[in-house]
Amino acid sequence: MALHFAQRPALRRAGPRFSLAISMCGLVLAACSHATSQPAYDASTLPAGAFGAEVRYGRELVMNTRALLPHDVRSRMDCATCHIDGGTQAHGLSFIGTYAAFPQWNARAHRIIA
């Protein structure tokens, strides 16, 4: 039978900081362990035409936000600073699948956001 955290004397002395450090190490290892054999974004696979152009422009907005939207960015960071590989990497603040959640009603803003 496994002992609860508070029942393990060594862990009880180490306290919540130790537990947090171990948890963070586990999260980092889990995020780094996912390897892909192909790049998440390959511009050569995008279709020609308006849709492909929109996807390319969206990628440029994420990667070069400050340069393309200087009046809309208050920080000295691009979106890609936090969204790893332009939001295409799993466990890296990915944008993948967010299309299913938007547009949605935002109660705080009292409007539909996209």
Side-chain angles (χ1 to χ4, degrees):
M1 179 162 97
L3 294 176
H4 185 269
F5 173 82
Q7 295 172 324
R8 296 179 183 174
L11 292 179
R12 192 175 343 117
R13 282 192 303 272
R17 283 187 176 167
F18 177 75
S19 178
L20 179 62
I22 294 297
S23 297
M24 293 304 292
C25 287
L27 288 172
V28 168
L29 289 173
C32 293
S33 67
H34 179 68
T36 60
S37 59
Q38 54 180 292
Y41 176 81
D42 184 3
S44 67
T45 62
L46 294 175
F51 179 72
E54 287 181 24
V55 173
R56 286 181 190 88
Y57 180 64
R59 170 77 172 189
E60 283 301 310
L61 283 175
V62 171
M63 302 305 286
N64 302 303
T65 315
R66 289 179 298 156
L68 296 172
L69 300 171
H71 301 293
D72 297 314
V73 179
R74 295 184 184 129
S75 66
R76 294 183 178 157
M77 297 187 296
D78 294 312
C79 293
T81 304
C82 296
H83 298 278
I84 310 303
D85 286 337
T88 60
Q89 180 177 323
H91 311 293
L93 292 177
S94 175
F95 292 128
I96 296 171
T98 57
Y99 65 87
F102 293 95
Q104 65 175 253
W105 173 255
N106 184 297
R108 186 175 64 186
H110 300 289
R111 64 185 179 96
I112 294 176
I113 57 174

